[in-house]
Amino acid sequence: MLSQRRDGTGSVLREWESREIALAAPRTLDELLAEEPSFSLYRRQSALFGNPTSAGVSLRNTGATAASRTLVLLDGIPQNDPFGGWVYWGRYDAGAIDSIRIVPSARAAVWGNQSPAGVVQLDSGDAFGERHLLRVGGGSHESYGASTHHRFVSDDGTAAAGFSAFGFRSDGFFGVAEGQRGSVDRRLELDFRGMDLKFAWRPRAGLTVEPMISWYEEERGNGTPLAKNATEALDVALRVTGEREALAWQALAYWQRRDFESVFSSVNAARTAETPSLDQFDVPGEGLGGALTLRGEPVERWTLTGGVDVRHLRGETNEDATFTGGQFTRRRRAGGEQTTAGVFLTSGYEVDAKTRVDGSLRGDFWSLDEGVRRERSLVTGVLLRDERQPDRSGWEPSAALAVTRELTEGLKVELSVGTSFRLPTLNELHRPFRVRNDIVEANPGLDPERFYSVETGLEWEPCDEWKLGVSVFHHTIRDAVANVPVTDPAEIAAIFGTIPPGGSGSQRRNVEEARVTGVQGGIEWRPREEVSLRLDAIWTETEFSDSKGQPLLEGRAFPQAPELRVMLGGEWRATETLGLFAGVEYGSAQFDDALGQRRIPDYWAARIGGNWRVAEGVTVFARMENLFDEEIATGRSSDGIRSTGTPRSLWAGVEWEF
């Protein structure tokens, strides 16, 4: 679209450099990314106050569930949770990120699993760039936070060490609409903290060794005394990069550990009392992986990038269920392992001064192993269920081709096609969950999703002041994973036993075919060097086009998929020391369920903010979200309870860079 940079992976959908990140001063990076209309989390909610299990990335409404169809990378290392695929956005402090890029779907096929809708690349910058930063802030909902980042470089420039620490706390806000709250409702409180330690060493010219370790912890209240979740994350990684004449290479190895726990509850109709319904007291996840990538220019006009990668994941849920007579009566353990190993090759060829062709090809072996579900009575100790899933494996290809042509001075056209896949996460295969009285059951028999994508676009710069872009895209998704409503009484009894009054039951299942078609466009105007205005919009139509297993789905739109999002924003560098920004966005109505019965109304919201450099290295920043305090609905349960997003919210602070 409007902001594109060309390298071995082709064009990007949108990118932010360090200056833009600093001006926006987001509390979490997803707040910044949400300024791109194609980006959203599953619900209309910042990850700051949303449940982490709904913080997977949805680009262009390409997912029918909260599972992420977009891969998130930090310095090349996957950040999607090993068990659930979601992303803990609170662990990436904006002050520690140097740049962000969004790569669209057909360009992302080279990354394989988890990337069929695209890739979000986070870059922490030059490890040998001396930097010291301290930031403190506070604002609405009794929120406050602080972070510090330091990079020390040896006198000879061959060694460096980086340290970061951050924390944030908020009393939050009520997540239930005001007219529906009862005495049981509480604020969505939040507390998180983390540390990162990185080293860099250059034993010789062209060779860099970078070990790193990262720790993160959060606790959340989910709106009632019993409902809550918590996570602890630990990552250890090693990156080695080398460069010699026309050849560059990178080797990665990483280990990731997540410990997650979550409690769900059932609230009575008057919202005056609650009882526990599901206690997922121990949900460990672990990831182990590595990659080797080589990049070179073997002959004039050609660039080649190739390599191999592997990722092994394992996880399980340990939970207590069926609350009867004042106690849980059933204990469940369910989980398994997942492995992907791929080989890839991508190439770029400059046909002439105006034409470029980029292509990629990838093959992945995958396996799902050690699947188990065991349930035992907590009253009698009797084994109630003992199932072992058969091991499964297969091969999945991914490929993409893109052609870019400069038609005239300032006018480019691009056509790209691609196909990729997504394995169901261990979470989808093995972990059930509950939102109020609506239950979603896991399904260990899920098959991989297969995406077929095509996109064409125009980018026009008629003069230095104007940039215009428009793209048309289409995705066909075979075996799309959706939370399919279960309506047959016999199936309900077999899968759930009973459904709470006013609630619903769904199970993760493959839908034969789904599609997403859309148009995205944008205009940027810079009447003066210090002023810019930008209008972006995206229209998408989603549909379950073939659903033999549940005919009621056919012709229905995806849940949480608005047809239209429009964003208008502007920046003004008023002086050399003062920068201001403002924006307004609109989102059309959408549904909270696959059958299109629970409608969530449209919304609009405005924001303002800016920063002021008051002294050398000292900057004051402030931003106000939802300026006019609109009630933004984020969900609607089967019993009519409306969830709401962040009300008017101020965030301000000071940053000292030295």
Side-chain angles (χ1 to χ4, degrees):
M1 276 284 298
L2 295 179
S3 181
Q4 296 187 336
R5 180 174 69 190
R6 189 166 304 285
D7 63 6
T9 63
S11 299
V12 300
L13 187 65
R14 182 79 178 268
E15 65 181 330
W16 293 261
E17 300 298 338
S18 56
R19 185 199 67 82
E20 298 168 288
I21 299 172
L23 175 62
R27 293 171 296 184
T28 54
L29 288 183
D30 68 288
E31 293 183 335
L32 174 66
L33 289 164
E35 296 177 8
E36 160 60 38
S38 67
F39 175 94
S40 67
L41 306 184
Y42 184 63
R43 299 186 182 275
R44 298 171 179 166
Q45 178 66 287
S46 163
L48 200 63
F49 296 105
N51 192 296
T53 61
S54 65
V57 181
S58 175
L59 287 178
R60 293 175 168 175
N61 289 334
T62 47
T65 64
S68 181
R69 275 81 176 174
T70 301
L71 180 64
V72 179
L73 302 170
L74 174 61
D75 296 333
I77 300 172
Q79 300 299 297
N80 301 69
D81 183 85
F83 184 75
W86 51 74
V87 180
Y88 290 98
W89 293 101
R91 69 181 306 189
Y92 312 112
D93 190 88
I97 301 298
D98 185 67
S99 66
I100 306 171
R101 308 171 67 210
I102 299 178
V103 181
S105 57
R107 295 283 195 168
V110 68
W111 280 279
N113 184 38
Q114 293 189 315
S115 69
V119 171
V120 177
Q121 294 177 300
L122 311 178
D123 189 342
S124 60
D126 181 11
F128 291 92
E130 184 96 19
R131 189 184 186 211
H132 302 280
L133 179 72
L134 175 64
R135 176 184 289 176
V136 295
S140 305
H141 323 305
E142 299 296 322
S143 303
Y144 54 88
S147 63
T148 183
H149 310 282
H150 302 276
R151 290 193 197 131
F152 303 90
V153 182
S154 64
D155 292 340
D156 61 2
T158 62
F163 171 76
S164 300
F166 58 91
F168 182 90
R169 188 190 183 283
S170 177
D171 287 347
F173 56 89
F174 289 100
V176 172
E178 185 173 2
Q180 296 181 318
R181 294 175 200 154
S183 59
V184 76
D185 288 296
R186 300 290 187 272
R187 296 177 181 271
L188 302 173
E189 58 185 2
L190 164 68
D191 191 355
F192 68 74
R193 64 206 69 86
M195 293 187 297
D196 299 290
L197 183 61
K198 299 181 180 181
F199 298 95
W201 176 46
R202 285 178 177 156
R204 60 176 174 78
L207 180 65
T208 303
V209 181
E210 297 175 85
M212 57 197 80
I213 184 169
S214 174
W215 170 82
Y216 175 76
E217 184 179 67
E218 70 173 32
E219 296 94 28
R220 296 174 180 269
N222 292 330
T224 61
L226 295 179
K228 57 186 177 180
N229 64 72
T231 301
E232 185 173 11
L234 178 64
D235 290 30
V236 179
L238 175 66
R239 180 171 64 170
V240 182
T241 56
E243 189 169 355
R244 180 178 297 176
E245 297 179 354
L247 177 67
W249 59 273
Q250 174 179 272
L252 280 174
Y254 56 88
W255 173 80
Q256 300 165 324
R257 171 76 182 187
R258 305 289 183 270
D259 289 296
F260 176 72
E261 58 186 61
S262 183
V263 177
F264 300 87
S265 68
S266 176
V267 178
N268 66 355
R271 301 197 66 79
T272 57
E274 69 172 334
T275 55
S277 58
L278 183 62
D279 181 5
Q280 297 175 334
F281 58 88
D282 183 24
V283 187
E286 188 174 291
L288 181 66
L292 175 64
T293 305
L294 298 92
R295 176 181 169 83
E297 299 180 6
V299 294
E300 188 178 0
R301 296 185 179 183
W302 282 92
T303 59
L304 287 175
T305 302
V308 295
D309 57 35
V310 62
R311 195 179 190 199
H312 176 74
L313 311 175
R314 65 180 180 183
E316 63 183 36
T317 179
N318 296 279
E319 55 194 50
D320 291 339
T322 313
F323 192 81
T324 304
Q327 64 177 349
F328 285 109
T329 61
R330 181 182 294 245
R331 175 158 292 180
R332 177 187 300 128
R333 173 180 170 265
E337 299 183 9
Q338 180 182 108
T339 302
T340 55
V343 57
F344 57 90
L345 177 67
T346 181
S347 176
Y349 176 57
E350 299 280 354
V351 179
D352 53 42
K354 295 184 177 182
T355 308
R356 179 182 173 96
V357 179
D358 291 282
S360 64
L361 186 64
R362 180 184 175 101
D364 278 278
F365 170 80
W366 61 268
S367 67
L368 301 174
D369 306 300
E370 302 297 328
V372 64
R373 179 163 179 166
R374 183 176 290 114
E375 299 182 7
R376 185 180 300 275
S377 170
L378 290 174
V379 178
T380 65
V382 173
L383 188 64
L384 305 174
R385 187 171 180 175
D386 189 7
E387 299 176 356
R388 293 189 176 274
Q389 309 302 325
D391 293 347
R392 293 187 286 155
S393 62
W395 289 89
E396 295 288 344
S398 300
L401 181 67
V403 180
T404 304
R405 172 74 177 175
E406 184 178 349
L407 300 179
T408 62
E409 183 68 27
L411 179 62
K412 296 179 184 178
V413 62
E414 179 174 338
L415 173 65
S416 58
V417 295
T419 181
S420 191
F421 75 103
R422 184 188 74 92
L423 280 179
T425 64
L426 295 174
N427 176 66
E428 292 172 298
L429 293 166
H430 303 294
R431 174 183 169 266
F433 73 93
R434 180 170 177 159
V435 178
R436 298 195 168 93
N437 288 336
D438 298 317
I439 303 171
V440 178
E441 181 58 71
N443 183 357
L446 290 173
D447 291 322
E449 294 179 327
R450 165 59 58 178
F451 277 63
Y452 300 92
S453 305
V454 60
E455 179 175 353
T456 183
L458 285 171
E459 183 179 306
W460 184 33
E461 295 186 43
C463 57
D464 292 339
E465 292 80 18
W466 288 91
K467 290 183 180 181
L468 300 90
V470 63
S471 59
V472 180
F473 56 89
H474 177 83
H475 305 280
T476 296
I477 311 169
R478 302 284 171 81
D479 292 321
V481 175
N483 298 331
V484 176
V486 179
T487 55
D488 180 75
E491 277 195 301
I492 290 175
I495 297 173
F496 309 102
T498 59
I499 300 294
S504 67
S506 301
Q507 186 179 38
R508 301 181 181 107
R509 294 179 180 176
N510 291 110
V511 177
E512 281 78 5
E513 184 175 286
R515 64 178 183 85
V516 180
T517 301
V519 180
Q520 184 171 355
I523 303 173
E524 185 176 2
W525 179 39
R526 289 185 175 272
R528 299 162 58 184
E529 184 178 351
E530 62 272 17
V531 177
S532 68
L533 296 173
R534 184 177 180 122
L535 174 66
D536 289 291
I538 185 170
W539 172 86
T540 55
E541 182 182 66
T542 62
E543 181 188 24
F544 294 108
S545 50
D546 185 9
S547 177
K548 295 181 177 61
Q550 174 53 285
L552 293 175
L553 278 184
E554 290 193 10
R556 302 290 184 180
F558 292 179
Q560 297 287 345
E563 286 192 351
L564 180 65
R565 288 188 75 199
V566 182
M567 315 190 83
L568 174 65
E571 295 181 11
W572 177 31
R573 179 57 63 180
T575 68
E576 290 186 0
T577 61
L578 177 63
L580 303 171
F581 69 87
V584 61
E585 65 179 271
Y586 168 81
S588 63
Q590 59 197 56
F591 294 97
D592 198 21
D593 66 311
L595 294 181
Q597 297 174 340
R598 307 199 303 265
R599 183 178 184 272
I600 303 173
D602 60 355
Y603 77 97
W604 75 277
R607 67 172 65 90
I608 59 172
N611 59 27
W612 177 34
R613 192 172 72 247
V614 297
E616 184 65 31
V618 180
T619 302
V620 176
F621 61 86
R623 60 183 292 141
M624 179 79 77
E625 298 288 343
N626 196 0
L627 179 62
F628 299 101
D629 202 24
E630 295 293 310
E631 182 180 280
I632 301 175
T634 61
R636 183 182 175 189
S637 61
S638 294
D639 56 5
I641 299 299
R642 302 191 310 276
S643 301
T644 58
T646 310
R648 181 167 49 224
S649 178
L650 170 68
W651 179 248
V654 60
E655 178 181 287
W656 178 31
E657 187 166 5
F658 56 97

